[in-house]
């Protein structure tokens, strides 16, 4: 369970960077990217809930923003 939490923490940290990039992109391009923000919020929620799964059969969420940031 410790390894699952460590990996989840790293993935959440990585997604923090994506949030900052989305914010920067939105400011520069003048677009809100609502769909991408919703996908990212859902992904982060799924990561936070990962420890509710059976630790022997973990299904990791996949993030597909469809953007190159």
């Amino acid at each position: 369970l410790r390894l699952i939490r460590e990996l989840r923490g790293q993935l959440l940290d990585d997604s923090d960077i994506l949030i900052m990039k989305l914010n920067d992109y939105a400011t520069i391009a003048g677009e809100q990217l609502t769909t991408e923000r919703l996908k990212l919020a859902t992904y982060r929620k799924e990561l936070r809930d990962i420890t509710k799964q059976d630790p022997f059969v973990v299904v990791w969420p996949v993030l597909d923003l469809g953007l190159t940031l």
Side-chain angles (χ1 to χ4, degrees):
L1 195 53
R2 180 180 58 81
L3 292 175
I4 293 169
R5 286 190 173 127
E6 287 176 12
L7 181 54
R8 175 193 62 184
Q10 182 59 51
L11 291 171
L12 283 168
D13 289 346
D14 292 347
S15 69
D16 287 342
I17 294 169
L18 288 175
I19 289 171
M20 288 186 286
K21 287 182 177 184
L22 276 176
N23 289 339
D24 287 350
Y25 181 85
T27 300
I28 292 167
E31 298 177 30
Q32 290 305 310
L33 302 171
T34 305
T35 302
E36 290 79 4
R37 289 175 190 270
L38 182 58
K39 286 180 182 180
L40 190 51
T42 301
Y43 172 74
R44 290 175 57 82
K45 171 76 169 104
E46 290 171 353
L47 283 174
R48 287 191 300 274
D49 291 345
I50 204 91
T51 55
K52 295 178 183 177
Q53 295 183 30
D54 177 346
F56 297 104
V57 187
V58 176
V59 178
W60 292 93
V62 176
L63 177 63
D64 180 17
L65 290 178
L67 292 173
T68 303
L69 298 175

